[in-house]
């Protein structure tokens, strides 16, 4: 570089003008521009910030491996050249664009030996997960929830237990970084109030949902499902308040329909009602944590369940929609095929149905009906709803005979009509039962809409599962399952 | 203290940040009071007198002593207290490490169903408050004059006599 060129640079760059250049060693374009950038630095008006290797450009450069400066200057690409006049940014150019660099620096001979254009690389501050970390560390997260400071060597997982935030299992500590990433999974405004969560009827914002979803272990892409589940639970007809406080076993069971189930990796196959799938496990858990933490539904306080049930940790699965002959639950409940939806059912843990002998649909219907009659109590009728989870092998017996959902449902109901005289209080030597004045009637086990059938499970096994419904279902119009579209 | 983690409150924020301690019983009738000696020198003399004062009032007590004031109590000891006692008096903290450890013990026992009170010297009022803040626990405390190490036994007994009624209030719902 000649003395003459330097003088010229000083002439052009008046003292009020300065430049910042962001680079990283791993960027080929940055390496290419090394001599040119050195020349700009020598003018005394340009500062170089290095994102990765502090030795790159040493000693000219400022180490920005924390990415704090990159974050504050909102750098998306390396190299980026920024021009400041009187401390305010007036111009910036990404990558190598000779004409632009010349215009911005005013150095007409800049990069004479280089090609006219070469794109840069992504800024390290924009790598996946990094941006939220930087917002949490250096920026304004915009989060409004109260800060809980954990100092010293205390374990944040233990701190969450201490504060009563967990269901008895460890939770992921809800740091700003994680909450911001979770909020990235929804377009909804974080301060939007979604509803009021019982029993304390406390308002729940998208932010509170995100915090609890973090703790439950959700991925951001589950957020639309979690939000829909919360909204469904808060619909008055779902009676979440009573369901939470009940002495019964029940809790919300979430069934997910539509392409989102596959997109977020939910399980509807082998062990669908069991452990081992992150989406199934954490979506159901997030809803329960929201009820606990936001609503104040603490077992032993207002959650008065006599025995509870393992489903109260989490109970969420997807329906198997891979068989086109099967009408999905959400479609039976009024939505279009292919629409993403959650259905929330007030239910208990499962009762297995083992039938490896029935071979005709008639036999199968009778067989399933026998088990369904035991829901709640064999002598109770129109007292609860029920969810039948039909396995592929059991369903195949119906399908091969041409029975669809409507036919199966109708035949099951027909098999569950019994003489009232056998069911009234005291009949069959059992006190429990139905009112004496119904002795002369033929009585249905469930309301016509009270039997929900879902298809799920592994390909092998002549078993199905019944989730008994909550006793609140006896108030036919006051307490019902809820199906809700998932807004993406 | 090297690190700080900031979490966000997942609750409706209707309750204070600190967890309230477990509600103590109405009275000490049919109650066993655990007297937990944190293992600091001279504390045993203070507790000897507390034990007598409880006995005079017809209150059953049982004593435990930590192997060292510089660590939290062994889990077996905490389990034993939870099994055999209903409320606890933790005494007598007059240093930094014993204040920190005994506050953890108080919190741990509370979580195990044994509400209690910690007796400390005035000098460690802020240390107790700070430790409670960190673990998010609204612990109960009673303070006696500092120091205790250079007192006579009679003076330590007098300290116990001065605070016995406050201690009883702290481990019951008596005002």
């Amino acid at each position: 570089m000649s003395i003459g060129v330097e003088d010229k640079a000083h002439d052009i760059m008046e003292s009020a003008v300065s430049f910042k250049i962001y680079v990283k060693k791993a960027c080929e374009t940055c390496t290419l521009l090394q001599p040119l950038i050195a020349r700009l630095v020598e003018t005394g008006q340009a500062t170089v910030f290095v994102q990765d290797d502090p030795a790159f450009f040493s000693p000219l450069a400022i180490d920005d491996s924390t990415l704090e400066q990159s974050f504050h200057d909102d750098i998306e690409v390396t190299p980026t050249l920024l021009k400041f006049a009187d401390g305010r940014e007036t111009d910036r150019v990404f990558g190598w664009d000779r004409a632009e660099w010349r215009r911005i620096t005013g150095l007409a001979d800049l990069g004479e030996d280089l090609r006219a254009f070469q794109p840069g690389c992504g800024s390290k501050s924009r790598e996946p997960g990094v941006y939220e970390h930087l917002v949490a560390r250096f920026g304004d997260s915009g989060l409004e929830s109260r800060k809980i400071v954990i100092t010293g060597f205390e374990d944040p997982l233990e701190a969450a237990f201490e504060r009563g935030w967990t269901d008895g299992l460890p939770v992921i500590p809800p740091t700003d970084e994680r909450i911001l990433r979770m909020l990235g999974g929804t377009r909804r405004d974080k301060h939007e109030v979604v509803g009021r969560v019982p029993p304390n009827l406390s308002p729940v914002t998208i932010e509170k949902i995100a915090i609890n979803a973090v703790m439950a272990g959700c991925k951001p892409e589950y957020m639309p499902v979690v939000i829909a589940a919360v909204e469904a639970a808060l619909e008055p007809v779902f009676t979440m308040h009573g369901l939470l406080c009940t002495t019964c076993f029940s809790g919300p069971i979430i069934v997910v329909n539509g392409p989102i189930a596959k997109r977020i990796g939910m399980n509807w196959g082998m062990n669908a009602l069991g452990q081992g799938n992150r989406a199934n496990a954490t979506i159901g858990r997030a809803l329960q944590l929201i009820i606990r933490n936001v609503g104040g539904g603490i077992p032993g306080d207002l959650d008065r369940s006599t025995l509870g049930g393992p489903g109260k940790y989490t109970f969420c699965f997807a329906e198997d929609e891979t068989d086109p002959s099967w009408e999905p639950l959400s479609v039976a409940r009024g939505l279009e095929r292919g629409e993403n939806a959650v259905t929330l059912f007030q239910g208990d843990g499962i009762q297995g149905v083992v039938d490896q002998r029935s071979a005709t649909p008639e036999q199968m219907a009778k067989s399933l009906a026998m088990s369904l009659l035991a829901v709640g109590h064999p002598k109770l009728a129109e007292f609860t709803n029920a969810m039948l989870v039909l396995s592929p092998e059991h369903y195949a017996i119906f399908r091969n005979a041409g029975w669809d959902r409507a036919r199966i449902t109708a035949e099951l109901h027909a098999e569950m009509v019994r003489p009232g005289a056998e069911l009234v209080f005291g009949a069959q030597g059992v006190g429990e039962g139905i009112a004496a004045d119904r002795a002369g009637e033929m009585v249905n086990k469930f309301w016509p809409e009270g039997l929900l059938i879902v298809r799920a499970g592994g390909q092998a096994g002549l078993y199905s599962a019944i989730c008994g419904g909550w006793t609140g279902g006896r108030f036919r119009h006051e307490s019902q399952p809820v199906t809700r579209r998932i807004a993406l | 203290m090297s690190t700080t983690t900031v979490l966000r409150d997942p609750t409706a924020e209707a309750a204070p940040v600190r967890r309230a301690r477990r509600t103590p019983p109405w009275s000490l009738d049919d109650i066993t009071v655990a007297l937990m000696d944190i293992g600091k020198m001279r504390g045993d003399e203070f507790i000897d007198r507390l034990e007598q004062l409880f006995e005079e009032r017809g209150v059953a007590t049982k004593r435990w002593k930590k192997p060292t004031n510089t660590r939290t109590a062994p889990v077996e000891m905490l389990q034993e207290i939870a099994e055999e006692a209903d409320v606890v008096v933790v005494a007598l903290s007059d240093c930094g490490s014993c204040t920190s450890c005994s506050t953890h013990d108080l919190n741990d026992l509370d979580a195990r169903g044994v509400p209690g009170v910690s007796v400390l010297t005035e000098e460690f009022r802020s240390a107790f408050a700070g430790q409670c803040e960190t673990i998010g626990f609204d612990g109960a405390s009673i303070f006696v004059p500092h120091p205790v190490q250079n007192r006579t036994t009679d003076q330590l007994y007098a300290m116990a006599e001065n605070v016995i009624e406050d201690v009883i209030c702290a481990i019951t719902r008596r005002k």
Side-chain angles (χ1 to χ4, degrees):
Chain A
M1 184 184 299
S2 73
I3 297 295
V5 172
E6 260 187 19
D7 289 345
K8 187 177 169 193
H10 280 294
D11 287 345
I12 292 165
M13 300 180 181
E14 318 90 342
S15 57
V17 172
S18 65
F19 299 91
K20 285 186 187 177
I21 306 163
Y22 284 87
V23 296
K24 63 179 186 186
K25 191 180 182 186
C27 167
E28 201 183 310
T29 307
C30 297
T31 311
L32 184 77
L33 297 185
Q34 224 172 335
L36 179 153
I37 290 170
R39 174 183 162 195
L40 289 171
V41 172
E42 280 165 19
T43 65
Q45 284 172 297
T47 313
V48 185
F49 295 86
V50 182
Q51 293 185 337
D52 48 5
D53 181 359
F56 188 48
F57 273 103
S58 178
L60 299 175
I62 290 173
D63 176 7
D64 192 38
S65 49
T66 65
L67 302 174
E68 182 173 2
Q69 295 305 318
S70 301
F71 170 74
H72 288 312
D73 279 329
D74 201 15
I75 302 303
E76 295 183 34
V77 170
T78 58
T80 293
L81 169 68
L82 295 89
K83 182 179 182 181
F84 292 82
D86 299 321
R88 284 184 38 230
E89 184 186 330
T90 54
D91 234 327
R92 69 166 68 191
V93 56
F94 321 109
W96 168 245
D97 179 335
R98 189 167 58 201
E100 277 294 284
W101 279 67
R102 284 180 173 177
R103 181 183 65 76
I104 289 173
T105 60
L107 298 172
D109 63 342
L110 201 65
E112 200 61 62
D113 51 338
L114 300 175
R115 69 178 84 162
F117 182 80
Q118 181 163 322
C121 301
S123 168
K124 280 187 79 68
S125 54
R126 290 287 178 170
E127 284 175 7
V130 173
Y131 188 71
E132 293 82 1
H133 171 85
L134 296 173
V135 173
R137 186 161 173 204
F138 302 121
D140 174 11
S141 70
L143 299 176
E144 288 184 345
S145 295
R146 186 158 66 183
K147 286 184 177 176
I148 305 290
V149 180
I150 310 293
T151 54
F153 297 101
E154 200 189 356
D155 184 339
L157 270 81
E158 293 294 337
F161 278 113
E162 292 283 354
R163 284 162 178 77
W165 296 346
T166 96
D167 50 16
L169 294 172
V171 291
I172 307 290
T175 57
D176 283 10
E177 179 183 345
R178 294 191 177 113
I179 298 162
L180 291 170
R181 271 187 217 135
M182 190 61 64
L183 286 165
T186 178
R187 278 195 267 269
R188 306 270 289 264
D189 180 73
K190 57 181 171 288
H191 303 313
E192 182 194 339
V193 175
V194 171
R196 289 178 176 275
V197 187
N200 293 346
L201 301 179
S202 307
V204 60
T205 56
I206 296 288
E207 178 177 319
K208 288 289 184 193
I209 292 176
I211 294 172
N212 283 279
V214 165
M215 298 199 334
C218 290
K219 290 167 86 168
E221 63 195 277
Y222 307 165
M223 269 296 274
V225 186
V226 176
I227 293 169
V230 172
E231 287 173 330
L234 299 185
E235 284 193 23
V237 77
F238 189 69
T239 46
M240 189 62 234
H241 204 146
L243 179 65
L244 162 77
C245 302
T246 182
T247 46
C248 279
F249 319 84
S250 318
I253 298 176
I254 306 170
V255 182
V256 178
N257 281 108
I260 194 165
K262 193 168 186 187
R263 291 174 68 103
I264 64 174
M266 292 192 73
N267 183 18
W268 59 75
M270 227 182 283
N271 204 43
L273 310 188
Q275 81 287 15
N277 176 280
R278 181 172 177 178
N280 290 28
T282 62
I283 292 168
R285 191 186 188 203
L287 175 59
Q288 285 287 7
L289 287 178
I290 288 161
I291 289 164
R292 177 188 178 93
N293 288 324
V294 182
I298 312 283
D301 290 349
L302 281 166
D303 177 341
R304 305 300 297 187
S305 185
T306 309
L307 287 164
K312 292 179 77 176
Y313 283 99
T314 176
F315 201 159
C316 174
F317 64 103
E319 183 162 34
D320 183 351
E321 299 184 25
T322 58
D323 184 335
S325 72
W326 179 251
E327 180 188 63
L329 177 69
S330 54
V331 178
R333 294 179 56 79
L335 300 188
E336 296 294 322
R337 200 182 269 271
E339 280 190 293
N340 295 312
V342 289
T343 296
L344 265 62
F345 175 71
Q346 305 93 333
D348 305 342
I350 70 158
Q351 171 195 337
V353 185
V354 179
D355 184 334
Q356 307 187 86
R357 302 283 174 153
S358 293
T360 67
E362 291 81 8
Q363 283 186 330
M364 200 67 236
K366 272 189 202 303
S367 176
L368 291 169
M370 285 171 86
S371 287
L372 281 163
L373 284 170
V375 167
H377 186 283
K379 283 184 64 195
L380 285 172
E382 294 169 343
F383 201 80
T384 72
N385 299 315
M387 177 176 277
L388 170 65
V389 185
L390 200 54
S391 71
E393 284 202 312
H394 273 176
Y395 171 61
I397 294 168
F398 294 120
R399 184 194 57 211
N400 295 343
W403 288 24
D404 61 3
R405 169 191 284 279
R407 177 85 186 271
I408 297 167
T409 306
E411 299 280 354
L412 283 173
H413 278 297
E415 294 293 345
M416 290 187 284
V417 180
R418 296 173 295 173
E422 294 175 8
L423 305 178
V424 293
F425 301 135
Q428 304 182 60
V430 172
E432 186 57 273
I434 64 174
D437 61 6
R438 302 190 70 183
E441 292 176 36
M442 291 299 284
V443 179
N444 297 311
K445 176 68 180 178
F446 300 114
W447 309 113
E449 72 284 3
L451 177 61
L452 281 67
I453 308 180
V454 188
R455 210 178 77 87
Q459 294 303 312
L462 284 155
Y463 319 118
S464 288
I466 293 166
C467 301
W470 176 43
T471 54
R474 68 191 182 277
F475 304 109
R476 182 178 179 182
H477 301 294
E478 301 302 321
S479 177
Q480 296 171 350
V482 167
T483 297
R484 192 179 175 93
R485 279 185 194 86
I486 298 167
L488 295 181
Chain B
M1 294 289 158
S2 60
T3 54
T4 297
T5 310
V6 178
L7 306 180
R8 293 285 179 166
D9 192 336
T11 74
E13 301 176 23
V17 173
R18 292 192 200 179
R19 178 174 68 82
R21 70 173 183 141
R22 197 173 286 269
T23 311
W26 287 106
S27 76
L28 295 179
D29 299 345
D30 304 319
I31 288 287
T32 299
V33 179
L35 298 174
M36 184 177 171
D37 182 344
I38 63 160
K40 194 72 195 291
M41 285 181 299
R42 311 300 309 277
D44 51 347
E45 293 163 63
F46 175 83
I47 294 171
D48 286 344
R49 185 63 187 136
L50 276 187
E51 191 176 18
Q52 293 163 3
L53 293 165
F54 274 116
E55 195 183 341
E56 286 167 18
R57 288 163 174 77
V59 177
T61 57
K62 196 158 179 188
R63 282 178 77 150
W64 278 270
K65 184 171 183 176
K66 281 169 66 169
T68 168
N69 61 290
T70 58
R71 270 189 254 152
T72 54
V75 170
E76 296 75 19
M77 182 186 288
L78 296 166
Q79 289 173 336
E80 216 175 272
I81 295 173
E83 190 183 346
E84 297 176 21
D86 306 287
V87 292
V88 64
V89 180
V90 180
L92 174 64
S93 300
D94 70 340
C95 67
S97 61
C98 54
T99 297
S100 171
C101 295
S102 63
T103 308
H104 276 284
D105 294 335
L106 187 71
N107 178 47
D108 192 317
L109 284 166
D110 189 272
R112 290 172 194 269
V114 185
V117 62
S118 184
V119 184
L120 313 93
T121 62
E122 278 291 353
E123 197 62 27
F124 293 92
R125 194 179 273 275
S126 63
F128 178 78
Q131 186 62 77
C132 283
E133 178 80 45
T134 292
I135 58 183
F137 174 59
D138 197 8
S141 53
I142 286 172
F143 296 94
V144 296
H146 188 85
V148 295
Q149 297 299 330
N150 58 359
R151 308 266 175 170
T152 64
T153 299
D154 284 346
Q155 286 174 322
L156 288 170
Y157 278 17
M159 272 187 193
E161 288 152 16
N162 286 339
V163 296
I164 182 68
E165 290 304 318
D166 292 340
V167 167
I168 291 172
C169 285
I171 56 175
T172 61
R173 276 180 258 180
R174 205 175 90 184
K175 296 289 173 209

